[in-house]
């Protein structure tokens, strides 16, 4: 297929030129990226993205066993795309967990083989540096092997400013208390004008990038996201990818890029229509092509739904996040098809196998926990328990 795209049979010389760059491992430019969004058919970007995906990972498709804790949905900010948060003046409509509440959730997973807890939520004054460092220390004391992936530059910028400490001091405190990695949230869209319109008041794009830079300089890893499909155009998307690619050249600390599709239920941007699945797949593919220095592209299934997550595996995606266990409300409240997002390991493995890819359980840092490629789990008693199937016989 790729030969046809590169040959004279392809009557678009610019697309041929970009295709040649991809095959030869040459980086595409910002104008190439915009050209792909504006002119290339889905099939062509799909072929190129899948070429890169298979060159890097073959058929391997990663997932993990994780759960989320959202300490609060009350927030001092009011991002216009957010369906999840409640303003402080309406805090009685939301939830605000105490340290004990959060530890009770952690403890409820004691007998489950999860490897990661993902903690993120609204921004509130009582959740300060001391609260989070105490929380991370307590989780580590209780379950040292559980990877803590928590908070974003949105919270960090706010709490460090309040305590009048630098990003470096603050991130060192987080690391020393047990924070293992940072998720990719809060990036939204980096273009300053748009960011101001949809996420005004929270940390700026430069501050978001700087906190990741500092974290990477401490030897730690993080993810990156982009909120797309709202009021941005293709130039804004490529600008966002370009800023991530530049920081990654500098630090190498990003593991995974996660495009997040804007969902429009019950938020201040409900009048903005959601974009089509064709656009979603194109966005995954072009992200894979553009971010040549990122190892992984993730389709977050609670946001996009499991069917499109399956499709995305042919458009550059090699990771579909984790079991989640119905512990996040961010997307169900924004109108995702996944109203109670939870998949057992068995279901995740089956979902990946059904589209002829090889399921690999990973930990947060992409170490292989278990290769499920050849596991015949229906017959295998040992794995029935592992797959959360009833152990019979
Ligand atoms: O920053 C909020 C997004 C993000 C909506 O790093 C919305 O592994 C679409 O970052 N429509 C938080 N998106 C979630 C996040 C994340 C999720 C999964 C895995 C990882 C990871 C990170 O959710 C926010 C914002 O960009 N978001 N509301 C909405 N209506
Ligand atoms: Fe608050 Fe995050 Fe929602 Fe913005 S996206 S209002 S910072 S919870």
């Amino acid at each position: 297929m790729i030969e046809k795209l590169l040959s004279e049979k392809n009557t678009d010389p610019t697309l041929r030129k970009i295709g040649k760059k991809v095959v030869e491992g040459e980086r595409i430019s910002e104008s190439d990226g915009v050209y792909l969004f504006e002119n290339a058919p889905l099939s062509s970007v799909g072929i190129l993205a899948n070429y890169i995906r298979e060159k890097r990972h073959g058929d391997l498709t990663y997932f993990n066993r994780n759960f989320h804790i959202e300490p609060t949905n009350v927030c001092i900010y009011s991002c216009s795309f957010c369906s999840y948060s409640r303003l402080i003046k309406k805090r009685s409509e939301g939830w605000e967990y105490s340290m004990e509440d959060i530890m009770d959730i952690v403890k409820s997973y004691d007998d489950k083989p999860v490897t990661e807890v993902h903690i993120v939520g609204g921004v509130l004054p009582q959740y300060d540096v001391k609260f989070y460092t105490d929380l991370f220390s307590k989780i580590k004391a209780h379950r040292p092997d559980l990877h803590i992936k928590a908070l974003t530059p949105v919270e960090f910028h706010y709490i460090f400013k309040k305590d009048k400490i630098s990003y470096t001091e603050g991130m060192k405190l987080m690391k020393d208390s047990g924070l293992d990695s940072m998720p990719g949230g809060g990036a939204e869209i980096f273009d300053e004008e748009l960011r101001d319109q949809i996420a005004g008041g929270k940390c700026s794009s430069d501050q978001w990038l700087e906190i990741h830079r500092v974290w990477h300089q401490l030897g730690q890893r993080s993810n990156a996201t982009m909120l797309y499909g709202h009021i941005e155009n293709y130039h804004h998307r490529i600008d966002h990818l370009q800023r991530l690619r530049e920081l990654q050249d500098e630090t190498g600390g990003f593991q995974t890029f996660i495009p997040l599709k804007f969902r429009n239920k019950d938020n201040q941007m409900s009048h903005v229509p959601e974009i089509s699945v064709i656009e979603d797949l194109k966005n995954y593919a072009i992200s894979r092509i553009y971010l040549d220095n990122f190892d992984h592209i993730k389709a977050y299934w609670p946001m996009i739904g499991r069917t499109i997550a399956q499709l995305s595996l042919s458009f550059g995606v090699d990771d579909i996040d984790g079991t989640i266990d119905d512990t996040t409300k961010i997307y169900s409240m924004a109108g995702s098809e996944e109203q109670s997002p939870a998949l057992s390991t068995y279901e995740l493995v089956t979902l990946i196998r059904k589209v002829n890819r090889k399921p690999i359980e990973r930990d947060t840092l992409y170490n292989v926990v278990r290769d499920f490629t050849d596991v015949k789990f229906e017959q295998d008693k040992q794995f029935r328990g592992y797959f959360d199937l009833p152990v019979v016989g």
Side-chain angles (χ1 to χ4, degrees):
M1 276 193 292
I2 199 139
E3 292 75 24
K4 201 167 154 200
L5 196 145
L6 301 179
S7 78
E8 300 294 319
K9 282 187 194 146
N10 176 356
T11 53
D12 179 340
T14 311
L15 187 53
R16 275 205 313 263
K17 197 184 85 208
I18 298 173
K20 200 158 164 279
K21 282 190 186 175
V22 169
V23 170
E24 288 173 0
E26 196 187 319
R27 177 166 275 190
I28 71 164
S29 67
E30 288 183 64
S31 58
D32 292 339
V34 173
Y35 186 86
L36 289 179
F37 270 122
E38 285 179 345
N39 301 293
L42 174 63
S43 54
S44 302
V45 289
I47 290 167
L48 293 176
N50 196 48
Y51 173 83
I52 300 169
R53 184 245 199 260
E54 291 188 355
K55 203 165 149 200
R56 280 176 177 266
H57 305 290
D59 283 329
L60 302 186
T61 299
Y62 300 93
F63 69 94
N64 73 350
R65 300 233 246 179
N66 62 352
F67 64 104
H68 288 226
I69 300 179
E70 294 168 355
T72 182
N73 70 337
V74 185
C75 190
I76 57 164
Y77 301 116
S78 95
C79 303
S80 46
F81 56 83
C82 184
S83 317
Y84 155 92
S85 64
R86 298 290 174 268
L87 285 169
I88 292 196
K89 61 183 176 205
K90 288 195 173 172
R91 70 196 311 168
S92 59
E93 292 175 11
W95 67 86
E96 290 172 52
Y97 294 157
S98 66
M99 182 80 72
E100 288 64 39
D101 296 332
I102 299 176
M103 285 311 295
D104 284 347
I105 301 176
V106 171
K107 287 174 191 163
S108 70
Y109 283 85
D110 277 359
D111 58 345
K112 296 194 180 147
V114 288
T115 57
E116 173 192 285
V117 57
H118 179 160
I119 306 174
V120 77
V123 179
L124 277 181
Q126 75 259 31
Y127 301 120
D128 57 8
V129 171
K130 177 152 177 17
F131 181 91
Y132 284 123
T133 49
D134 284 353
L135 175 65
F136 299 152
S137 309
K138 279 191 165 75
I139 297 175
K140 281 290 169 193
H142 180 73
R143 191 165 173 174
D145 59 328
L146 187 65
H147 182 109
I148 305 177
K149 181 172 89 179
L151 312 188
T152 73
V154 177
E155 292 95 333
F156 288 131
H157 172 76
Y158 172 80
I159 64 180
F160 299 159
K161 201 169 154 208
K162 227 169 126 238
D163 271 23
K164 298 193 177 59
I165 57 174
S166 70
Y167 290 163
T168 307
E169 279 172 277
M171 293 316 288
K172 270 192 187 144
L173 286 173
M174 294 297 149
K175 182 180 170 192
D176 294 344
S177 65
L179 180 69
D180 292 301
S181 71
M182 226 200 303
E188 321 315 356
I189 195 83
F190 288 148
D191 178 86
E192 278 73 13
E193 214 179 303
L194 288 195
R195 189 177 183 81
D196 203 41
Q197 278 181 51
I198 67 168
K202 66 188 194 184
C203 75
S204 70
S205 307
D206 283 347
Q207 288 160 343
W208 190 97
L209 290 162
E210 181 59 19
I211 288 176
H212 281 267
R213 178 182 285 110
V214 165
W215 184 240
H216 296 168
Q217 283 164 351
L218 294 173
Q220 303 301 100
R221 313 300 302 271
S222 66
N223 292 339
T225 58
M226 171 174 75
L227 181 70
Y228 72 95
H230 43 91
I231 53 172
E232 89 291 2
N233 63 33
Y234 295 141
H235 290 270
H236 297 129
R237 287 194 211 171
I238 290 295
D239 166 63
H240 190 98
L241 298 180
Q242 174 62 22
R243 296 195 209 191
L244 290 175
R245 196 166 77 173
E246 278 171 18
L247 180 55
Q248 180 73 335
D249 276 344
E250 197 187 311
T251 65
F254 288 118
Q255 306 200 100
T256 313
F257 176 66
I258 311 143
L260 294 170
K261 178 198 184 119
F262 165 66
R263 308 301 310 246
N264 69 2
K265 191 176 161 219
D266 292 339
N267 56 45
Q268 298 164 57
M269 287 166 75
S270 290
H271 57 282
V272 176
E274 290 181 4
I275 60 168
S276 74
V277 59
I278 307 278
E279 281 289 319
D280 294 324
L281 294 173
K282 250 184 126 169
N283 192 67
Y284 283 120
I286 296 168
S287 303
R288 177 60 288 173
I289 298 167
Y290 202 82
L291 294 175
D292 60 346
N293 53 6
F294 274 62
D295 280 341
H296 302 282
I297 305 290
K298 185 193 283 188
Y300 185 52
W301 68 264
M303 176 265 293
I304 199 112
R306 45 195 98 178
T307 314
I308 300 181
Q310 278 177 315
L311 255 178
S312 74
L313 299 181
S314 298
F315 289 84
V317 168
D318 62 276
D319 188 301
I320 56 171
D321 204 79
T323 42
I324 314 281
D325 205 22
D326 197 11
T327 46
T328 175
K329 296 273 172 281
I330 298 181
Y331 292 101
S332 50
M333 289 171 85
S336 164
E337 297 72 16
E338 304 288 347
Q339 283 301 297
S340 302
L343 283 176
S344 65
T345 314
Y346 169 76
E347 288 169 317
L348 261 177
V349 166
T350 306
L351 190 140
I352 295 167
R353 281 183 169 174
K354 275 197 172 150
V355 288
N356 299 322
R357 301 286 183 178
K358 297 178 171 172
I360 304 288
E361 183 186 345
R362 60 162 175 86
D363 65 14
T364 313
L365 302 175
Y366 288 86
N367 300 302
V368 174
V369 175
R370 208 170 289 225
D371 180 346
F372 283 106
T373 308
D374 296 317
V375 172
K376 297 200 175 32
F377 46 86
E378 285 87 352
Q379 289 113 47
D380 194 322
K381 258 199 222 167
Q382 180 203 337
F383 281 113
R384 291 193 77 85
Y386 189 78
F387 276 104
D388 317 324
L389 288 169
V391 182
V392 289

